[in-house]
Amino acid sequence: MHYRTSLAGLALCCAAAAADRAPLGTPPPADAVPRLEFAFEERVTLDAGVVLGDTALGRRQYIPITGGTIAGPRLRGSVVPGGWDFQLTYAASGCTQLSADYFLKADDGTLIHVFNEGLACSDKEPLYFRPRLEAPKGPHDWLTRATFIATLELEMEQKPAAGTVPRLEAVRIRFFQVR
């Protein structure tokens, strides 16, 4: 008998809570909307791209990461040389899938893995990325638990040789933590 009473009470409680819910698709209240907080910025230096060529999926290339610096209120350090930015430009759409895989070294010597993905479909649209970071347990493990959105800006060579196209020298990636 006690079991039935508990179920009835639970059903009444759930029905009351459901009656207080806004209809599906209603914008949430302002205090329920995630906000972004600037965490740090990377300036990643790059070598020339290596074109593998056209594949069944599209044009494939990779760009070697040669180093860089990190600065910001939550993290400082350097970009470890040796990572890669893999790119696939889909033949059907012309959009480019970007997947960067590299390591950071915090000022205290901690190594942090970064895997950063995004899709670029137009030169006129801003580039947003979904970075995932993995840090060892300790002072930087908040990076593993946090959710980030990143923006990317290209830094072209300032003074190319006469008659040449400026090459991509570096990228600036700003990391914003979702709160």
Side-chain angles (χ1 to χ4, degrees), residues 85-151:
D85 179 5
F86 301 98
Q87 301 178 354
L88 175 64
T89 301
Y90 295 106
S93 67
C95 293
T96 301
Q97 175 70 45
L98 303 148
S99 302
D101 198 350
Y102 57 101
F103 284 87
L104 308 177
K105 188 173 189 176
D107 277 350
D108 67 0
T110 302
L111 289 173
I112 301 159
H113 178 237
V114 179
F115 185 71
N116 203 356
E117 290 186 299
L119 188 66
C121 292
S122 168
D123 291 340
K124 295 173 178 61
E125 295 177 11
L127 293 173
Y128 296 109
F129 290 87
R130 300 172 308 275
R132 291 187 316 240
L133 289 88
E134 181 183 9
K137 292 179 180 178
H140 301 291
D141 63 1
W142 66 274
L143 293 162
T144 305
R145 295 186 313 272
T147 299
F148 294 95
I149 298 293
T151 61

Side-chain angles (χ1 to χ4, degrees), residues 9-169:
L10 180 61
L12 283 173
C13 176
C14 290
D20 291 341
R21 277 193 225 136
L24 186 63
T26 303
D31 63 343
V33 176
R35 60 184 173 79
L36 299 178
E37 179 181 292
F38 176 67
F40 61 94
E41 177 178 16
E42 301 171 352
R43 182 178 185 275
V44 181
T45 55
L46 306 167
D47 206 346
V50 178
V51 177
L52 289 113
D54 293 328
T55 71
L57 298 175
R59 185 175 179 82
R60 172 73 70 182
Q61 74 171 5
Y62 68 90
I63 300 174
I65 293 172
T66 60
T69 56
I70 309 160
R74 307 268 331 256
L75 185 65
R76 299 184 85 66
S78 60
V79 178
V80 177
W84 309 96
D85 179 5
F86 301 98
Q87 301 178 354
L88 175 64
T89 301
Y90 295 106
S93 67
C95 293
T96 301
Q97 175 70 45
L98 303 148
S99 302
D101 198 350
Y102 57 101
F103 284 87
L104 308 177
K105 188 173 189 176
D107 277 350
D108 67 0
T110 302
L111 289 173
I112 301 159
H113 178 237
V114 179
F115 185 71
N116 203 356
E117 290 186 299
L119 188 66
C121 292
S122 168
D123 291 340
K124 295 173 178 61
E125 295 177 11
L127 293 173
Y128 296 109
F129 290 87
R130 300 172 308 275
R132 291 187 316 240
L133 289 88
E134 181 183 9
K137 292 179 180 178
H140 301 291
D141 63 1
W142 66 274
L143 293 162
T144 305
R145 295 186 313 272
T147 299
F148 294 95
I149 298 293
T151 61
L152 181 132
E153 293 176 18
L154 305 178
E155 284 190 12
M156 304 306 287
E157 183 178 31
Q158 292 295 315
K159 295 181 181 178
T164 63
V165 176
R167 74 174 190 84
L168 179 61
E169 198 168 68

